[in-house]
Amino acid sequence: MKTIFVTGGAGFIGSALIRLLMAETDWHVVNIDKLTYAGNLESLTSVMDNPRYQFSRTDICDRVALDTLFDHYQPAGVIHLAAESHVDRSIHGPGDFIATNISGTYTLLEAVRGYWSSLEHAAKSTFRFHHVSTDEVYGSLGNTGFFTETTPYQPNSPYSASKAASDHLVRAWHHTYGLPVVTTNCSNNYGPCQFPEKLIPLMILNALSEKPLPIYGKGDNVRDWLYVDDHARALRLVFERGLPGETYNIGGHNEMTNLQVVDTLCTLLDELKPRHDGRSYREQKISVADRPGHDKRYAIDAGKIERELDWKPLETFESGIRKTVLWYLDNQSWVANVQSGEYRDWVVKHYGKP
Ligand code: NAD
Ligand code: DAU
């Protein structure tokens, strides 16, 4: 039974990954998370009492705390998801993105290198540092083509630039120090427990609260949507079987314009939770100013991970989006605590600081 570290495990994708690892492996998992506004331990209530799960409220920029954790737990690997992840926030205030995504990844890499160097030969060769990144590092596509693992980096937002920088650091730590790293670059995720600043949960919750559904620009930007559990399965596969130094793109072959996504959500809500006045949620759509530097289209060629690791998404967009809407309808207490900010009060109560 091995122990691994997951950074950012209280976030949207990290919590899905930890739920999957608890259900499908016998590993011990230590969740290392600072609990920013995006970290929510309520997303992990199903695993909280599992003796194989531990939580440490730690900032990945804190080298001393990281060294203590490595020394104490002696992990067999790290899956690194901790990041500032929202593009709009990065436009309004890039500082936290530089601190966590770049300096934090650097600090973590140095802590990992120190620990890894001290391991004996067998443990050293099986150790993995898995860096979880995004398709946004490749920039924006025109109407055709796909991002592959060899597409040149062309990040356009402070968020994607900070993720690109972290990818380069991880690559360099492999090339220069021989650290056994794997990197994954994934497309847009959706599913349960996503913070309602991102398109899909924002639209579901605004619709139900009778608020406007704000569509940036013409709504014709295209994203390639993947159900979060499919991403979590891919992460486990790459962590276990990916080759050191390699990069794997992960995507759903599921391109849609933002308008198509919002219309799909409205149709589902019209069926599952009709408005009191019998009208369609589509009437709540409004056009708002475009996001500055808004990338036009993302689309992933996931051929490498499909061929080499036999991964394929299990959910279609139709099945995954229905599950997602039902989850938000059925989990009123998670939603209410996020909307009221009560999950932050819990953090203050337990840790004494916000
Ligand atoms: P999220 O914002 O939901 O969660 C991020 C988590 O990281 C939170 O729990 C937060 O508390 C934690 N965190 C932030 N700063 C930290 C720090 N300094 N120290 C420790 N913990 C810290 O993000 P997400 O959507 O789950 O994304 C997870 C990772 O996957 C990110 O690296 C992101 O770039 C990448 N990614 C996300 C998507 C997507 O569609 N959401 C797609 C591809 C890749
Ligand atoms: O591609 C992977 C990336 O996907 C991840 O790396 C990021 O962490 C994740 O946030 C996501 O980035 P996007 O910017 O694509 O996601 P977001 O949900 O913020 O927006 C999706 C699209 O919807 C985008 O074209 C902007 C648009 N949008 C978004 C919001 C929040 C709207 O039209 N209205 C909105 O209110």
Side-chain angles (χ1 to χ4, degrees):
M1 278 195 292
K2 61 183 172 189
T3 296
I4 71 154
F5 285 0
V6 172
T7 71
F12 164 51
I13 301 170
S15 62
L17 175 67
I18 291 177
R19 293 191 300 270
L20 176 134
L21 295 178
M22 286 292 112
E24 298 186 3
T25 73
D26 61 1
W27 305 350
H28 287 254
V29 173
V30 183
N31 175 10
I32 295 173
D33 199 296
K34 180 183 174 182
L35 296 182
T36 67
Y37 78 93
N40 185 349
L41 292 178
E42 269 189 64
S43 306
L44 288 162
T45 42
S46 62
V47 303
M48 213 61 114
D49 295 329
N50 189 320
R52 291 186 289 113
Y53 169 78
Q54 304 290 323
F55 173 70
S56 170
R57 188 179 192 197
T58 298
D59 186 337
I60 57 161
C61 298
D62 184 342
R63 175 67 193 270
V64 174
L66 289 174
D67 285 346
T68 307
L69 289 170
F70 278 102
D71 197 40
H72 181 73
Y73 288 104
Q74 302 279 308
V78 177
I79 308 182
H80 173 39
L81 297 101
E84 289 293 335
S85 70
H86 189 40
V87 174
D88 293 326
R89 281 182 192 257
S90 82
I91 294 168
H92 293 293
D96 287 345
F97 289 73
I98 307 304
T100 286
N101 300 0
I102 306 180
S103 299
T105 299
Y106 157 72
T107 307
L108 179 62
L109 278 167
E110 280 296 83
V112 169
R113 185 165 75 91
Y115 164 73
W116 173 76
S117 310
S118 71
L119 294 174
E120 48 86 21
H121 182 71
K124 209 169 176 177
S125 61
T126 54
F127 185 89
R128 287 291 176 277
F129 179 81
H130 180 163
H131 177 58
V132 179
S133 192
T134 170
D135 60 358
E136 299 200 11
V137 297
Y138 298 123
S140 182
L141 290 165
N143 291 330
T144 57
F146 297 92
F147 297 134
T148 71
E149 288 79 2
T150 55
T151 301
Y153 274 32
Q154 224 163 40
N156 291 318
S157 71
Y159 163 69
S160 55
S162 68
K163 290 296 291 187
S166 67
D167 293 11
H168 291 319
L169 291 175
V170 171
R171 179 190 154 84
W173 261 239
H174 173 70
H175 192 76
T176 302
Y177 305 114
L179 195 70
V181 308
V182 282
T183 296
T184 47
N185 295 82
C186 188
S187 64
N188 285 62
N189 284 217
Y190 68 99
C193 302
Q194 188 170 28
F195 192 77
E197 61 186 355
K198 309 279 167 66
L199 180 74
I200 288 180
L202 180 92
M203 292 296 163
I204 298 172
L205 299 186
N206 274 18
L208 294 171
S209 320
E210 301 176 13
K211 290 184 184 157
L213 308 179
I215 317 273
Y216 297 166
K218 292 196 198 121
D220 58 356
N221 301 66
V222 173
R223 297 291 183 263
D224 178 357
W225 293 96
L226 180 71
Y227 191 67
V228 66
D229 290 352
D230 279 324
H231 187 190
R233 279 191 310 108
L235 293 179
R236 179 185 169 192
L237 261 183
V238 172
F239 179 70
E240 286 193 287
R241 291 178 32 210
L243 297 178
E246 291 291 320
T247 287
Y248 300 85
N249 280 357
I250 306 170
H253 296 297
N254 212 336
E255 290 181 53
M256 297 180 83
T257 65
N258 294 336
L259 265 181
Q260 285 172 321
V261 171
V262 175
D263 284 339
T264 304
L265 291 170
C266 291
T267 305
L268 271 170
L269 287 169
D270 287 342
E271 175 201 326
L272 297 167
K273 184 89 181 165
R275 265 172 50 155
H276 296 304
D277 60 6
R279 302 168 83 107
S280 171
Y281 287 100
R282 287 179 193 227
E283 293 186 13
Q284 289 168 228
K285 285 189 295 183
I286 58 162
S287 178
V288 298
D290 210 350
R291 173 185 278 174
H294 198 170
D295 284 339
K296 178 75 184 164
R297 173 174 167 257
Y298 305 142
I300 282 278
D301 175 349
K304 180 175 173 181
I305 188 171
E306 288 171 2
R307 279 189 309 278
E308 296 185 10
L309 301 180
D310 203 21
W311 172 87
K312 261 203 183 333
L314 296 179
E315 298 291 344
T316 61
F317 189 71
E318 211 185 2
S319 63
I321 200 72
R322 180 173 280 273
K323 273 190 186 177
T324 304
V325 171
L326 282 169
W327 188 88
Y328 281 94
L329 289 173
D330 291 345
N331 287 272
Q332 287 301 319
S333 124
W334 187 96
V335 169
N337 286 343
V338 164
Q339 285 180 321
S340 69
E342 206 170 296
Y343 75 110
R344 301 295 307 159
D345 299 344
W346 188 91
V347 169
V348 175
K349 203 161 117 198
H350 281 255
Y351 296 100
K353 52 183 181 180

